[in-house]
Amino acid sequence: MRYEGSVYRPPSEARSYILQVTIGCSHNRCTFCSMYKDKKYRVRSLDEVMADIRMAKLYYGDLEKVFLADGDALAVETGDLVKIIAELKKNFYSLRHIGIYASPDSILSKDIEELKRLKEAGLTIAYLGVETGDPELLKDIKKGVTYEEMVEAGKKIREAGILLSVTVLLGLAGRTPQAVDHARKTAQILNEMNPDYVGALTLMLEPRTPLYRKMQRGEFELPGPFEILDEMRIMIENLELEGTEFRSNHASNYLPIKGRFPEDKENIMDLINTIINRNDARYLRPDYLRAL
Ligand code: SF4
C-alpha cells in the first residue's frame, strides 16, 4: 500500500483499510495538533485514489471496513466521494463500514442533501474533533469555528443519518480555573449534539505545536492526573446523553472508562469519585505508559 507521510485513524478504525483521499488537513491550525504539520494540504486526484483501491483489492482480496483519511477527508467534493464509495463497494463485497474524518468546516460546507447522498452511498460514520465546548477556548486553540457552528456541524451529521463520533480533549485549558468551564461547557456541547460516540482524550503536547511552545515559555501548564480526573468528573456529572457510548480508553488517558449513557453514568461517577477520594495514583495509568 502507498501512503504519503504519517497516517492517522481513530482507535475504533484499527481494523480498517486506510484510504487517503486527501493529504493533510485543510485547517491545520489547531494549536495543540501536530498530526499533519509535515504535509501541505491537497485533495488527491480521483485517478490516484482509484488506483489505490485497485491495489488494495490485489493485496487484501476483500475488506469489511474502510477508513477515509487524512485529516479532513470530508472536504472532498461530494460527487467524487460518492464515486470513491461506489468503487469501494464494487471491489469489496463484504464492505459494511466506511468511516471518515470530518472537520466542522467541511461538514458546514455541505448541505444536508449532500450529506444524505453520502449516507445513501454507504458512508457509515464521521469522526469530528470537538475538543471543547468553551467558546473562548475554541477561539484560543484556533479551532476555526464557534460553539454554535460546532453544534450545527454535529447535528447535521446526525440529521443525515450518519453516525457521529466526537472527541473532546481533557486538559486543554491547562492548569487554570478555566478548566472547570471547559469541563462544564464540553458537557453542554455534547448534550446539544447527543453524538452516538464520545471519546475523551487527554492532552499530550508534541513539539512543533504552538501550545508546546507556549508551555516551553512558561505560559501554559499541563494539569496533573488528579486534575484531569476532576475535569472528567465535572464533565460526566453534567452529561445528559441518550444512547451514547462513552469511552476514555485512548492511550493518552489516565483512567480508561467505557460505558453507555445514561445507564452507566452512575457507576462511572462512583468509580471516579472513589479514585479521587482515595487519591491513590495506583488506579491510574502511569505517565510512561501514556501515548498519543
Ligand atoms: S485537530 Fe483536526 S482540524 Fe485541527 S489541525 Fe488537527 S487534524 Fe486539523
Side-chain angles (χ1 to χ4, degrees):
M1 295 299 96
R2 58 178 176 178
Y3 290 107
E4 240 182 271
S6 310
V7 177
Y8 299 89
R9 48 121 186 104
S12 53
E13 298 283 344
R15 293 174 183 275
S16 302
Y17 159 61
I18 301 175
L19 175 62
Q20 280 180 305
V21 296
T22 59
I23 303 297
C25 165
S26 64
H27 182 59
N28 217 12
R29 281 196 295 275
C30 299
T31 60
F32 59 88
C33 174
S34 65
M35 294 204 299
Y36 302 108
K37 290 283 183 263
D38 57 341
K39 297 180 185 180
K40 192 171 180 309
Y41 178 75
R42 71 180 168 88
V43 174
R44 291 182 79 203
S45 73
L46 261 186
D47 284 349
E48 271 183 70
V49 174
M50 297 303 185
D52 274 18
I53 295 173
R54 287 193 294 276
M55 269 186 238
K57 172 79 185 163
L58 289 175
Y59 191 81
Y60 295 108
D62 196 10
L63 287 169
E64 288 188 15
K65 293 180 75 178
V66 172
F67 179 67
L68 304 179
D70 275 343
D72 192 9
L74 193 73
V76 173
E77 202 268 315
T78 304
D80 287 349
L81 275 176
V82 169
K83 284 180 198 159
I84 291 166
I85 293 172
E87 189 66 17
L88 285 166
K89 285 167 84 174
K90 195 174 95 189
N91 280 279
F92 305 115
Y93 306 112
S94 306
L95 192 61
R96 58 174 173 81
H97 170 109
I98 300 174
I100 195 164
Y101 268 144
S103 74
D105 262 344
S106 63
I107 298 170
L108 294 173
S109 71
K110 295 195 190 298
D111 63 38
I112 191 69
E113 293 313 318
E114 289 180 280
L115 294 172
K116 283 183 179 168
R117 227 177 120 200
L118 289 169
K119 157 73 185 167
E120 276 157 28
L123 186 62
T124 320
I125 183 167
Y127 296 86
L128 170 66
V130 167
E131 330 303 359
T132 181
D134 181 341
E136 282 306 309
L137 200 49
L138 274 175
K139 214 184 290 170
D140 285 353
I141 62 169
K142 298 194 171 15
K143 194 68 200 174
V145 284
T146 62
Y147 177 99
E148 290 75 18
E149 287 167 335
M150 189 69 90
V151 171
E152 189 189 337
K155 283 185 171 175
K156 243 172 133 176
I157 288 291
R158 295 212 72 204
E159 193 189 334
I162 299 166
L163 292 172
L164 174 65
S165 178
V166 308
T167 49
V168 296
L169 208 39
L170 300 165
L172 202 51
R175 192 170 250 166
T176 64
Q178 197 187 0
V180 174
D181 271 357
H182 166 48
R184 284 203 185 117
K185 290 173 180 170
T186 300
Q188 184 187 319
I189 201 168
L190 294 174
N191 292 342
E192 285 204 50
M193 288 182 182
N194 200 49
D196 300 280
Y197 301 93
V198 173
L201 278 64
T202 301
L203 180 66
M204 295 183 80
L205 286 178
E206 296 266 306
R208 297 186 309 149
T209 61
L211 203 49
Y212 182 88
R213 290 194 287 277
K214 217 172 155 183
M215 182 175 72
Q216 283 191 314
R217 292 195 301 272
E219 295 164 11
F220 182 87
E221 206 182 341
L222 280 171
F226 282 93
E227 288 156 301
I228 293 287
L229 211 53
D230 203 42
E231 269 185 34
M232 186 141 89
R233 179 186 64 77
I234 297 167
M235 182 178 76
I236 290 176
E237 195 172 37
N238 287 283
L239 284 177
E240 301 293 340
L241 301 169
E242 281 297 325
T244 300
E245 182 119 358
F246 179 91
R247 296 171 190 155
S248 73
N249 53 1
H250 185 263
S252 63
N253 291 110
Y254 288 106
L255 181 66
I257 287 175
K258 201 174 167 189
R260 204 171 162 77
F261 275 68
E263 51 267 46
D264 294 328
K265 177 175 171 174
E266 215 178 302
N267 286 343
I268 293 173
M269 284 302 294
D270 284 349
L271 175 68
I272 296 174
N273 281 325
T274 304
I275 295 174
I276 289 178
N277 292 338
R278 288 185 186 167
N279 196 30
D280 189 340
R282 284 177 303 177
Y283 290 96
L284 306 179
R285 181 181 277 142
D287 271 309
Y288 69 89
L289 286 180
R290 293 172 62 227
L292 283 175

